[in-house]
Amino acid sequence: MKTKISGVELRRIAMPLVAPFRTSFGVETSRDVLLVRVVTSDGEGWAECGAMSEPRYCSEYVDGAQDVLRKFLIPALPKDGLDVQAVGRILHPFTGHNMAKSALETAVLDAQLRGVDESFGSYLGAARDRVPCGVSVGIMDSIPELLDAVEAYIGEGYVRIKLKIEPGWDIEPVRVVRERFGDELLLQVDANAAYTLTDAQHLTKLDDFDLLLIEQPLANDDMVQHAQLAKRLRTPICLDESIESAADAAAAISLGACSIINIKPGRVGGYLEARRIHDTARAHGIPVWCGGMLETGIGRAANVALAALPGFTLPGDTSGSHRYFATDITQPFVLSDGHLDVPTGPGLGVTPLPDLLDEVTTSREWIAL
Ligand code: NPQ
Ligand code: MG
């Protein structure tokens, strides 16, 4: 199927967070998001870039993503039409910039699927019509604040809690949450690369708390060190930042660097690569789950569709819109019984509501092809 693209709008929006979100790499109070809208012969397609305002989680950042899209990625697309399968091949000669590439490919995919009246879930191979949801809980100023936050999320129906950790905020928060909410609570932690292999002895203390996993304890490129750490911990290691492709996933699995993978489509260059990681992991019996980058409804819709694939056997960070935003730019995603419904409409199944979108827009740029 050939889609002729006439141009691409790069739109920046500013989305205040309902509460500051603190991780081992910094505090965010507002989400600076790049949205991509492609205008094609099949109609429009939308996508959201996962990049943050600063290159801390990974090397990408939102001004950089917009720049590489404008200067290199968008101009590389052919004027005479392309299939979504071709987008990855055309962008492959440009190294890195997975989040920028993902946004462009996803917008093209949305346009093509809308053109044939098929949903993301159906196209990707969703095996269910709703997905169980977890929530990521930031580093707090005190233990009582943490317990209040976790209690509120459990009250909202979240079926799994993930605590952000860093040196000085790790064993104790996990101990008190486990004690307060009991052994049945699905509980995991995410260090965002805050430790080194010299912390291995310290991290074994987490083994007492029956965690589902510890996510990305060591640096992004510490693949071998993660394999060594895995031998010393009973808690399963899950990789996030380290996995930027299906090849990385295959390498990490064969090395024993992880026994679970967090799949974020932006980090790996798009939903097609995300599905390849899912397929690779599934063939090896490795569970996967869908991560999050504080997406608006646009990114959230596609993530919920992906999380419905059969190998996504653990709850994801696919939280409801109100976990992050008082007002989303789409119809909000609202939890029901701890789950979100997989959208069934064509493409993403959601579009930005024009008035809400205009209210948060900070800039717009049109790139003609
Ligand atoms: C993770 N996400 O799994 C990330 C990292 C992260 C939901 O825990 C602004 C935008 C702040 C994106 C903080 C979750 C962020 C962000 C953390 C992503 O590692
Ligand atoms: Mg993570």
Side-chain angles (χ1 to χ4, degrees), residues 262-332:
N262 166 339
I263 301 183
K264 288 178 184 163
R267 193 193 69 226
V268 304
Y271 288 84
L272 302 183
E273 188 72 2
R275 186 171 56 184
R276 287 189 278 271
I277 295 176
H278 161 273
D279 296 348
T280 301
R282 195 159 181 239
H284 285 87
I286 297 283
V288 302
W289 55 279
C290 184
M293 290 298 289
L294 283 56
E295 288 87 355
T296 73
I298 293 295
R300 198 161 297 283
N303 285 352
V304 170
L306 180 71
L309 268 59
F312 284 76
T313 53
L314 290 169
D317 283 342
T318 48
S319 304
S321 295
H322 299 126
R323 158 67 182 90
Y324 295 112
F325 311 114
T327 309
D328 206 336
I329 56 169
T330 62
Q331 285 296 110

Side-chain angles (χ1 to χ4, degrees), residues 6-59:
S6 57
V8 182
E9 183 183 64
L10 301 177
R11 185 192 281 250
R12 289 280 281 277
I13 62 175
M15 301 281 288
L17 298 177
V18 292
F21 187 48
R22 181 168 156 208
T23 67
S24 62
F25 58 80
V27 189
E28 297 285 321
T29 56
S30 177
R31 187 80 178 89
D32 175 8
V33 185
L34 171 63
L35 296 177
V36 173
R37 179 175 65 98
V38 296
V39 178
T40 81
S41 51
D42 297 321
E44 292 187 353
W46 286 90
E48 163 170 0
C49 179
M52 304 173 63
S53 47
E54 297 184 6
R56 296 185 184 275
Y57 164 81
C58 66
S59 64

Side-chain angles (χ1 to χ4, degrees), residues 28 31 52 136 162 164 190 192 215 240 264 292 294:
E28 297 285 321
R31 187 80 178 89
M52 304 173 63
S136 178
K162 158 168 143 181
K164 290 294 195 176
D190 185 0
N192 287 111
E215 183 178 345
D240 172 355
K264 288 178 184 163
L294 283 56

Side-chain angles (χ1 to χ4, degrees), residues 163-206:
L163 302 182
K164 290 294 195 176
I165 59 168
E166 65 182 2
W169 182 269
D170 45 25
I171 315 301
E172 203 47 29
V174 168
R175 180 198 312 283
V176 296
V177 167
R178 183 51 93 204
E179 274 174 13
R180 169 79 170 269
F181 300 102
D183 292 342
E184 297 297 292
L185 176 68
L186 300 183
L187 183 63
Q188 63 191 55
V189 294
D190 185 0
N192 287 111
Y195 297 89
T196 69
L197 200 50
T198 62
D199 297 309
Q201 190 64 36
H202 175 71
L203 292 172
T204 61
K205 294 179 199 157
L206 290 172

Side-chain angles (χ1 to χ4, degrees), residues 93-369:
F94 300 102
T95 58
H97 299 284
N98 281 352
M99 290 175 174
K101 290 173 176 175
S102 173
L104 187 54
E105 181 187 80
T106 305
V108 172
L109 180 56
D110 183 38
Q112 286 198 350
L113 291 177
R114 286 179 201 270
V116 296
D117 202 14
E118 183 174 12
S119 71
F120 256 68
S122 160
Y123 176 80
L124 292 172
R128 43 188 182 250
D129 56 15
R130 56 178 213 154
V131 299
C133 297
V135 61
S136 178
V137 183
I139 295 167
M140 304 275 166
D141 291 333
S142 71
I143 294 288
E145 280 173 86
L146 174 69
L147 290 173
D148 286 350
V150 170
E151 182 169 37
Y153 289 131
I154 292 172
E156 289 171 39
Y158 286 103
V159 303
R160 183 227 71 191
I161 298 291
K162 158 168 143 181
L163 302 182
K164 290 294 195 176
I165 59 168
E166 65 182 2
W169 182 269
D170 45 25
I171 315 301
E172 203 47 29
V174 168
R175 180 198 312 283
V176 296
V177 167
R178 183 51 93 204
E179 274 174 13
R180 169 79 170 269
F181 300 102
D183 292 342
E184 297 297 292
L185 176 68
L186 300 183
L187 183 63
Q188 63 191 55
V189 294
D190 185 0
N192 287 111
Y195 297 89
T196 69
L197 200 50
T198 62
D199 297 309
Q201 190 64 36
H202 175 71
L203 292 172
T204 61
K205 294 179 199 157
L206 290 172
D207 285 344
D208 293 342
F209 303 108
D210 204 20
L211 300 176
L212 286 169
L213 57 90
I214 178 170
E215 183 178 345
Q216 197 70 40
L218 311 179
N220 302 16
D221 52 4
D222 277 357
M223 205 77 112
V224 171
Q225 291 89 334
H226 275 107
Q228 291 171 341
L229 181 63
K231 294 203 190 99
R232 300 185 51 185
L233 301 187
R234 244 184 311 126
T235 307
I237 291 181
C238 170
L239 290 177
D240 172 355
E241 286 91 326
S242 292
I243 306 297
E244 296 185 353
S245 65
D248 285 350
I253 292 167
S254 69
L255 196 58
C258 66
S259 50
I260 300 171
I261 296 174
N262 166 339
I263 301 183
K264 288 178 184 163
R267 193 193 69 226
V268 304
Y271 288 84
L272 302 183
E273 188 72 2
R275 186 171 56 184
R276 287 189 278 271
I277 295 176
H278 161 273
D279 296 348
T280 301
R282 195 159 181 239
H284 285 87
I286 297 283
V288 302
W289 55 279
C290 184
M293 290 298 289
L294 283 56
E295 288 87 355
T296 73
I298 293 295
R300 198 161 297 283
N303 285 352
V304 170
L306 180 71
L309 268 59
F312 284 76
T313 53
L314 290 169
D317 283 342
T318 48
S319 304
S321 295
H322 299 126
R323 158 67 182 90
Y324 295 112
F325 311 114
T327 309
D328 206 336
I329 56 169
T330 62
Q331 285 296 110
F333 281 81
V334 178
L335 255 64
S336 156
D337 184 29
H339 290 65
L340 286 180
D341 288 336
V342 178
T344 54
L348 295 172
V350 298
T351 43
L353 302 167
D355 293 347
L356 291 174
L357 183 61
D358 285 341
E359 266 174 46
V360 294
T361 296
T362 54
S363 72
R364 300 169 67 166
E365 173 181 14
W366 176 253
I367 319 281
L369 230 65

